Amino acid sequence: MIETELTRCVASFHPGATGVTGAAKLSGGASQETWTFDIVHPNGTIGAILRRAPPGYGAAPGRAAGLDAEATLMQLAHDAGLPSPKVMHVLRPEDGLGRGFIMARVEGETIARKILRDEEFAGARPILARQLGRVIAGIHGLPQAKLPKLRSLTATREIEDLAREYHSFNWPRPVFELALRWLRDHDPGPSSETTLVHGDFRHGNLIIGPDGVRAVLDWELAHTGDPMEDLGWICVNSWRFGEIDKPVGGFGTREDLFAGYEEAGRKADPDRVMFWEVMGTLRWGVMCCGMMQRFRSGPDHSMERAMIGRRASETEIDLLRLLAPRGR
């Protein structure tokens, strides 16, 4: 059925398109779906991706930027020469597909295990951290005057939001309490500069090819705030997938990440990055606890939720590793 709706939609914005083929759902969460399909055209097929909230679903959750904002941010990044898919069409009510957008499909890999292990990516791994530093700098440099309306986030607010969410689970974890105390004691205060922050810059949201990074995806958690947050998040141990001695995504060093960031004209603050790495580690732990809570309470008793939920214990080990050295 969705191919019929897509065919009608594509014909409205892509002159000469005669239909679509190969529509397949890539993912489907509680309120959002991602579909891949090909646009059929006399000049050749065009790979496309639909990201949508189907008809009948309401507004995005409180932390989410919203699909319209995601489309705007991705197109701003694309127009600025950053690795981002081109947004082809923002859905309208008459399209009958819900809320969302259609973007050009970018070929490459998002699965961390393959990126970190397969020979195909052996040449990319040594250069990725520096590349990603330059990409993050480009994101932080996007003009604020052109940004859609986004929530603003400070370190102090994030600490209190995490504490509130964690305590709502009624599932005491002494290491989380220790991390919250450390974060409050080391809150660096407002950043001297507020920029666009991607909010989820990590494996899974990066398309990688043998030549390196090809696209940044999933701007759902974008907001304005401290630019060092993105640099800290990509260094969280949970995204290293066993390559613990390579803090940037399991493939690179902080020094290369910072060098790429500074090559693009911006200055990294290692102390603030470390603060946000601790914050990100705790955030992922709290998110894992939330997955387990939803698994327990239902109605979604999926094995995936349970498996992610149990990873909260891994973040406790990571937090102890971060906080124990040098008297943290």
Side-chain angles (χ1 to χ4, degrees), residues 16-328:
T18 59
V20 304
T21 186
K25 186 188 289 188
L26 298 178
S27 67
S31 61
Q32 292 188 6
E33 298 174 352
T34 302
W35 291 76
T36 181
F37 64 98
D38 289 321
I39 299 172
V40 181
H41 193 277
N43 295 332
T45 60
I46 301 163
I49 295 288
L50 165 68
R51 183 165 165 79
R52 71 161 185 167
Y57 285 86
R63 290 180 68 90
L67 288 165
D68 289 348
E70 281 193 65
T72 298
L73 292 170
M74 292 179 77
Q75 193 58 43
L76 281 174
H78 178 273
D79 292 347
L82 297 173
S84 179
K86 178 178 176 58
V87 175
M88 304 167 74
H89 178 68
V90 176
L91 298 180
R92 305 162 301 179
E94 56 265 34
D95 294 324
L97 288 163
R99 296 175 54 254
F101 56 92
I102 294 171
M103 57 184 167
R105 189 169 66 234
V106 176
E107 301 300 330
E109 186 57 73
T110 61
I111 298 174
R113 176 183 55 79
K114 295 184 178 182
I115 295 166
L116 297 179
R117 307 284 190 272
D118 288 4
E119 182 62 27
E120 179 184 0
F121 304 101
R125 287 191 285 271
I127 64 173
L128 272 174
R130 207 176 192 101
Q131 279 190 340
L132 292 180
R134 292 194 291 267
V135 172
I136 296 173
I139 290 171
H140 296 165
L142 290 175
Q144 295 207 31
K146 294 185 178 181
L147 301 181
K149 185 176 181 180
L150 298 169
R151 65 190 178 96
S152 179
L153 181 66
T154 64
T156 303
R157 178 180 171 184
E158 177 74 346
I159 294 167
E160 297 314 312
D161 285 351
L162 279 177
R164 189 181 309 109
E165 186 174 0
Y166 156 64
H167 288 130
S168 74
F169 300 144
N170 194 27
W171 188 5
R173 288 178 173 265
V175 178
F176 283 14
E177 298 286 356
L178 174 67
L180 283 168
R181 183 190 306 170
W182 186 91
L183 288 167
R184 288 181 174 125
D185 288 346
H186 294 80
D187 184 344
S191 172
S192 60
E193 181 184 23
T194 298
T195 70
L196 171 65
V197 177
H198 180 276
D200 201 9
F201 196 89
R202 60 171 176 84
H203 280 300
N205 294 333
L206 301 169
I207 297 180
I208 306 297
D211 52 341
V213 61
R214 291 181 174 177
V216 179
L217 305 175
D218 199 349
W219 296 68
E220 184 176 8
L221 297 180
H223 57 275
T224 58
D226 184 345
M228 297 302 102
E229 180 184 347
D230 279 334
L231 294 173
W233 185 241
I234 188 64
C235 292
V236 168
N237 188 46
S238 296
W239 320 137
R240 301 178 201 174
F241 295 90
E243 300 289 340
I244 191 171
D245 295 327
K246 297 174 182 175
V248 182
F251 47 70
T253 66
R254 294 183 182 89
E255 290 75 16
D256 278 347
L257 179 72
F258 297 163
Y261 192 73
E262 296 184 3
E263 284 170 2
R266 304 192 65 84
K267 180 68 175 174
D269 184 333
D271 289 337
R272 292 186 81 99
V273 173
M274 178 55 69
F275 171 86
W276 284 105
E277 185 176 337
V278 175
M279 178 87 83
T281 303
L282 178 60
R283 183 196 303 166
W284 176 238
V286 171
M287 290 168 68
C288 290
C289 289
M291 285 287 189
M292 182 59 76
Q293 193 85 342
R294 286 189 284 276
F295 171 79
R296 287 171 164 174
S297 61
D300 181 359
H301 299 291
S302 71
M303 186 61 66
E304 181 182 15
R305 287 194 188 277
M307 290 175 66
I308 295 175
R310 70 185 295 275
R311 293 189 65 187
S313 60
E314 298 174 8
T315 65
E316 291 179 294
I317 297 171
D318 295 338
L319 286 166
L320 289 173
R321 284 181 175 141
L322 284 168
L323 302 181
R326 296 182 292 281
R328 288 201 182 99

